[in-house]
Amino acid sequence: RIFVLGIGFFTLCFLMTSLGGQFSAKRLGDSPFTIRTEVMGALESRGVLRRMSDMLEMLMKRMDILARLENSTDFHKGDEARFPLDRFQPAAGLMERIQAIAQNVSDIAVKVDQILRNSLLNGKVMEGRRDQCEVPRDPKYPDCAGKVEWMRARWTSDPCYAFFGVDGTECSFLIYLSEVEWFCPPLPWRNRTLAVPSPPPPPRAQAAFRRDLARLLELIGTGKESLSFMKKRIRHLGQQWLRAARRLEQRLAGRQRDQKHILIHIGFLTEESGDVFSPRVLKGGPLGEMVQWADILAALFMLGHSLRVTVSLKELQSHLGVPPGRGNCPLTSPLPFDLIYTDYHGLQQMKQHMGLSFKKYRCRVRVIDTFGTEPAYNHEEYATLRGFRTNWGYWNLQPTQFMTMFPHTPDNSFMGFVSEELNQTERQLIKANKVSSMAVVYGKEASIWKGKEKFLAILNKYMEIHGTVYYETQRPPEVPAFVKNHGLLPQHEFQQLLRKAKLFIGFGFPYEGPAPLEAIANGCVFLQARFNPPHSSLNHEFFRGKPTSREASVSSQHPYAEDFIGKPHVWTVDYNNSEEFEAAIKTIMRTQVDPYLPYEYTCEGMLERIHAYIQHQDFCTASSPPPSPKTKSPAMQSPPSPLALSPNSTHLVWSPSAGWAPQAWPPVASLQVWLSQPQHTCTETCRRHGLVCEPTFFRFLNKEEVFLQLSIACDSTEYEMNHLYPAVAENVRECYLQKEPLLFSCAGYNPKYRRLCPCRDFRQGQVALCRDCL
């Protein structure tokens, strides 16, 4: 009896599960081209419903027979009679339920029958229409016919087309090109609901400064040495991040900040890009990129934004909603992220797998780019025509979407990293324990030491030399015997070495790494070589192929340390002059310096900077285009220029009486317009006036009247694509304005031209932000 009841109950569960399974798969909403598949699925479902109805009826009959048999036995006598009756009360209830379910299943089967008849009828109508599709001739969709032709020949080249329902028919091409892509007009016979005004989006969640880093460490994941390195760094600086977040929170005084949904895809750590960094973490390989990524992760998390972190292509495809196939189709749904931080490897992977969606959403991308990308290399057409094309450029992004490790090119945004801050007690201990005759060489790879015997011999006369060169079994032969080599040190042990040393000396490579700033922050003097002539892509193999010329800007191993810090913390000398080199060592040994760290490389400085970028940088809203190159008629009067001569008549400023100020960031009140000398870039021109070149301001001075306000006579004015424009060729009195906004550039010079340069002020210790930028 109990066995039969159990069998009945589990049979019912199985039947209901089967029914649910028939309807749990995606149905007509999956694709507009699956009507035949869906009809077959519906026919099968009708059969299942009928079988369920029959089985339920059989089960009910058998339980009724069982009840009659039990009532005919002698087991119901005496006091025990109540026991079987009590046991069969639930059975009676179960039979009633089975009877009700059977009736419901029967009703459902009737309804499915009706739906099937209607579906088959509509399917025949649909098939008739599918056979009658013609390519529309609509001037609003000039590419439609060409795209249909392409689909006829290539629709099987990528499974993603079949995923979206393309089946080789003309109508399926047109439906795809009008509803998935946007090259053809909508088909009038398609079932399309009337456009109803969508309700206003719900209020965005507000970002709140975080109080704990544990969740971030979970998000980063495991499985790679590089990830372990980044997590160790985040833990080590955890308290500094927390203190910095509290200070910035107090300064912002409860200002509302929308929480952004951010994807961080570290492309160079994916297996598809080779992941050359992870195996070299423990062998002295470059760690600068991983230092920066660790700090970016920490800053974004502490600011209170919602993060997703990926280091694999599969994870990237999953988070983006990439359809199955080879990457030629758009994403299956709108991009769920407000911002994406990635690198050049990740950018390439996104372009390969996002189809047309990449062009649609690339304004949300921020590219972490150590050495920067200049506008001349970023503009695909211009780079190809003018010989600026490299393996890493030609993306046609806004140049400020590229984010660098150091502020060496104002055309890009300065992302940076952080160095450890010292408290007052630590600073005093360092000053007391400094060894004035101890030097540490910058360079963990033995190749850096090759050919440096002359410098090392001079240095050895005055100082005990320490190295941190990686080796496995035998001491590298490039490192002289008088050097005390510690091998590759963990970060905290390297910090202790710097806290004792007086001098941190570079031999010209690596360029622009984080170690010199860490040394200066720990009380060392940084000694580096002056490059004459400056290194660039024109004369040095390292920069060749990178999307930046760096003309005249790499005058030393670490230009930021030379230009923004300088003496007494940074000494830049000619290593080919032995006397100058030796004299610098003697002076450094006598010079007392305190630990120093620029504010922009503190945790608070980086939080402040990234907060400002997230709040104010918007590359998805189109800015106003430059003026039309067509000649103006006398009846067309330009509005008065908002620029005015400064009191000393040397440059232009935004006029207080302009009566209007555009919604711009940085604010236009910080703008100053200067005319460069023929041999100077705009970067150099602004720096000579104690300012920073600001490329977003070029649009305000790309006007003919600006030349007149600076008393420049133009016999002719031309609009052209050139990364040096706007500019004037004074010898022939020809003025040039910029035709392509993506080519506005602070970099580059030509002796023929004097350039119009947009400059701005900057906050002390925070060159990326103007005084009123917060």
Side-chain angles (χ1 to χ4, degrees):
R1 183 173 59 249
I2 294 173
F3 174 75
V4 173
L5 283 173
I7 290 294
F9 177 73
F10 284 113
T11 302
L12 177 61
C13 292
F14 171 76
L15 291 173
M16 295 306 294
T17 303
S18 300
L19 178 62
Q22 289 294 321
F23 293 101
S24 64
K26 292 183 180 178
R27 281 306 177 207
L28 292 171
D30 281 358
S31 167
F33 317 113
T34 50
I35 186 69
R36 290 176 178 169
T37 304
E38 299 305 332
V39 168
M40 290 303 295
L43 289 168
E44 293 168 3
S45 297
R46 181 173 62 180
V48 170
L49 289 168
R50 286 176 175 171
R51 287 196 299 273
M52 283 184 63
S53 181
D54 295 342
M55 292 178 70
L56 286 167
E57 187 176 354
M58 185 182 299
L59 177 64
M60 188 173 62
K61 288 179 181 177
R62 288 180 179 178
M63 292 190 68
D64 186 52
I65 293 170
L66 176 65
R68 288 199 300 271
L69 287 172
E70 289 295 332
N71 288 333
S72 65
T73 64
D74 295 329
F75 191 66
H76 63 278
K77 294 179 180 179
D79 293 335
E80 295 179 353
R82 290 186 300 274
F83 176 73
L85 288 174
D86 292 343
R87 290 293 296 267
F88 270 89
Q89 289 299 326
L94 180 61
M95 287 178 64
E96 292 175 3
R97 290 187 180 90
I98 292 173
Q99 191 171 9
I101 291 171
Q103 183 61 45
N104 287 337
V105 169
S106 178
D107 293 343
I108 291 172
V110 172
K111 291 179 181 178
V112 167
D113 232 10
Q114 294 172 351
I115 292 171
L116 278 172
R117 292 191 185 97
N118 292 333
S119 297
L120 289 169
L121 180 61
N122 291 337
K124 291 177 181 178
V125 174
M126 180 74 73
E127 287 300 315
R129 286 174 175 166
R130 287 162 66 88
D131 294 337
Q132 298 171 6
C133 283
E134 293 183 1
V135 179
R137 306 295 178 182
D138 190 330
K140 296 180 181 178
Y141 299 87
D143 299 324
C144 183
K147 290 292 181 179
V148 171
E149 189 67 31
W150 188 96
M151 291 290 288
R152 289 191 192 112
R154 301 290 302 277
W155 75 272
T156 57
S157 64
D158 193 323
C160 72
Y161 297 117
F163 173 83
F164 282 109
V166 177
D167 58 9
T169 64
E170 204 81 351
C171 286
S172 71
F173 299 153
L174 291 171
I175 293 172
Y176 174 85
L177 291 171
S178 62
E179 297 181 15
V180 180
E181 296 183 3
W182 44 87
F183 293 105
C184 294
L187 299 176
W189 53 267
R190 291 283 294 165
N191 290 328
R192 303 179 65 86
T193 57
L194 294 175
V196 179
S198 57
R204 293 290 296 263
Q206 293 300 295
F209 285 93
R210 296 249 170 57
R211 300 285 185 263
D212 189 289
L213 285 161
R215 175 60 183 151
L216 174 61
L217 299 176
E218 293 177 12
L219 287 172
I220 293 173
T222 58
K224 292 177 179 285
E225 288 293 342
S226 48
L227 297 179
S228 299
F229 172 87
M230 288 191 278
K231 290 165 74 170
K232 286 178 184 176
R233 177 174 174 82
I234 292 170
R235 287 193 199 97
H236 180 69
L237 294 173
Q239 290 304 311
Q240 295 201 16
W241 282 115
L242 294 170
R243 288 194 295 269
R246 284 195 293 268
R247 290 194 297 267
L248 183 59
E249 183 178 24
Q250 292 170 359
R251 289 171 49 207
L252 294 178
R255 196 176 303 172
Q256 294 292 299
R257 299 181 301 116
D258 287 346
Q259 186 185 60
K260 304 293 185 182
H261 296 278
I262 300 176
L263 175 66
I264 297 104
H265 177 60
I266 310 177
F268 74 88
L269 293 183
T270 61
E271 297 300 327
E272 289 76 11
S273 69
D275 188 12
V276 297
F277 284 86
S278 292
R280 299 174 66 188
V281 168
L282 303 178
K283 297 183 178 181
L287 301 179
E289 287 84 355
M290 282 175 279
V291 164
Q292 187 180 34
W293 274 109
D295 296 345
I296 291 169
L297 286 164
L300 292 171
F301 183 80
M302 293 306 300
L303 287 169
H305 299 293
S306 174
L307 308 185
R308 290 289 181 273
V309 183
T310 69
V311 291
S312 80
L313 185 57
K314 280 189 176 180
E315 289 177 328
L316 175 68
Q317 292 172 319
S318 173
H319 286 307
L320 293 178
V322 174
R326 298 188 177 94
N328 290 304
C329 299
L331 301 181
T332 57
S333 59
L335 185 71
F337 300 103
D338 302 301
L339 294 169
I340 299 176
Y341 287 81
T342 189
D343 51 28
Y344 263 124
H345 294 283
L347 195 64
Q348 184 66 45
Q349 291 167 351
M350 289 167 59
K351 183 179 181 181
Q352 289 174 348
H353 295 278
M354 289 178 67
L356 286 176
S357 296
F358 178 78
K359 185 176 182 179
K360 180 179 180 180
Y361 293 119
R362 65 184 175 183
C363 61
R364 304 188 191 183
V365 174
R366 306 294 183 265
V367 184
I368 307 306
D369 178 16
T370 302
F371 295 101
T373 298
E374 294 175 5
Y377 295 81
N378 171 60
H379 192 282
E380 183 174 16
E381 179 186 355
Y382 184 78
T384 303
L385 292 174
R386 300 294 186 94
F388 291 104
R389 189 170 179 122
T390 68
N391 292 333
W392 300 103
Y394 62 85
W395 287 95
N396 290 331
L397 301 179
Q398 292 293 332
T400 39
Q401 288 180 255
F402 298 99
M403 313 189 97
T404 59
M405 183 171 282
F406 290 96
H408 43 61
T409 171
D411 291 320
N412 304 147
S413 298
F414 164 46
M415 172 58 76
F417 58 95
V418 304
S419 286
E420 187 172 355
E421 296 178 73
L422 303 176
N423 58 40
Q424 196 59 37
T425 301
E426 290 170 327
R427 294 168 68 91
Q428 293 299 328
L429 282 172
I430 285 175
K431 290 179 69 175
N433 295 327
K434 277 291 177 186
V435 179
S436 61
S437 60
M438 178 177 172
V440 176
V441 175
Y442 180 20
K444 295 172 291 186
E445 296 184 358
S447 59
I448 295 172
W449 294 65
K450 190 174 182 179
K452 306 301 188 299
E453 295 83 5
K454 181 180 177 181
F455 312 136
L456 290 168
I458 296 173
L459 182 60
N460 188 47
K461 289 164 55 178
Y462 301 95
M463 291 186 160
E464 180 182 76
I465 306 174
H466 294 250
T468 57
V469 181
Y470 169 79
Y471 67 95
E472 292 183 356
T473 55
Q474 295 182 342
R475 180 186 179 92
E478 295 89 347
V479 180
F482 56 75
V483 174
K484 185 175 182 180
N485 185 31
H486 300 264
L488 194 63
L489 293 177
Q491 185 65 18
H492 69 280
E493 292 184 28
F494 181 62
Q495 293 274 4
Q496 294 303 316
L497 190 66
L498 293 176
R499 292 184 179 189
K500 289 178 63 179
K502 176 72 174 183
L503 178 67
F504 189 63
I505 181 171
F507 285 151
F509 191 83
Y511 295 101
E512 299 175 309
L517 261 66
E518 294 176 349
I520 296 166
N522 283 287
C524 293
V525 174
F526 177 50
L527 177 63
Q528 63 173 346
R530 181 185 300 116
F531 300 149
N532 189 18
H535 292 181
S536 71
S537 61
L538 304 177
N539 62 12
H540 203 274
E541 190 62 32
F542 178 82
F543 291 102
R544 196 164 290 129
K546 290 182 170 56
T548 173
S549 63
R550 299 294 295 274
E551 288 178 296
S553 67
V554 188
S555 56
S556 63
Q557 181 175 353
H558 207 292
Y560 175 86
E562 178 186 6
D563 296 333
F564 289 89
I565 300 177
K567 292 181 180 179
H569 303 281
V570 179
W571 288 65
T572 305
V573 302
D574 182 3
Y575 278 23
N576 294 319
N577 186 330
S578 300
E579 293 181 359
E580 183 182 355
F581 179 75
E582 191 167 355
I585 293 172
K586 292 178 182 178
T587 306
I588 289 169
M589 293 179 69
R590 297 192 303 266
T591 304
Q592 295 296 319
V593 296
D594 293 328
Y596 173 72
L597 180 62
Y599 173 75
E600 55 201 352
Y601 284 98
T602 65
C603 291
E604 185 177 354
M606 188 168 186
L607 286 172
E608 177 186 87
R609 188 166 59 251
I610 295 181
H611 156 73
Y613 289 155
I614 291 176
Q615 292 297 111
H616 298 289
Q617 284 186 336
D618 180 7
F619 304 114
C620 297
T621 302
S623 59
S624 57
S628 170
K630 295 180 180 178
T631 305
K632 298 176 184 177
S633 66
M636 296 174 62
Q637 296 296 324
S638 298
S641 172
L643 301 173
L645 272 175
S646 63
N648 59 6
S649 301
T650 58
H651 61 282
L652 301 179
V653 296
W654 195 268
S655 174
S657 60
W660 67 282
Q663 291 293 321
W665 190 85
V668 291
S670 63
L671 168 62
Q672 295 184 27
V673 183
W674 289 85
L675 191 64
S676 78
Q677 294 301 314
Q679 298 285 349
H680 291 165
T681 66
C682 280
T683 302
E684 177 65 20
T685 298
C686 295
R687 184 178 297 161
R688 285 172 176 259
H689 295 290
L691 302 167
V692 175
C693 183
E694 179 51 63
T696 59
F697 287 157
F698 268 112
R699 60 192 174 109
F700 299 120
L701 52 117
N702 192 46
K703 301 174 182 178
E704 188 174 353
E705 55 263 32
V706 175
F707 290 112
L708 298 175
Q709 288 181 285
L710 290 169
S711 302
I712 299 171
C714 303
D715 290 346
S716 66
T717 303
E718 301 289 339
Y719 282 83
E720 294 182 11
M721 282 203 315
N722 191 311
H723 69 288
L724 302 180
Y725 296 166
V728 56
E730 286 188 313
N731 59 330
V732 291
R733 296 164 63 104
E734 292 179 350
C735 296
Y736 300 92
L737 296 176
Q738 182 60 258
K739 185 179 179 181
E740 172 51 71
L742 284 181
L743 287 173
F744 284 137
S745 177
C746 295
Y749 70 91
N750 187 312
K752 175 182 175 182
Y753 301 122
R754 296 185 70 185
R755 301 187 58 190
L756 289 182
C757 298
C759 308
R760 63 161 171 84
D761 57 34
F762 58 92
R763 298 167 66 86
Q764 186 65 34
Q766 186 73 287
V767 70
L769 304 180
C770 67
R771 291 171 189 161
D772 296 326
C773 276
L774 285 179

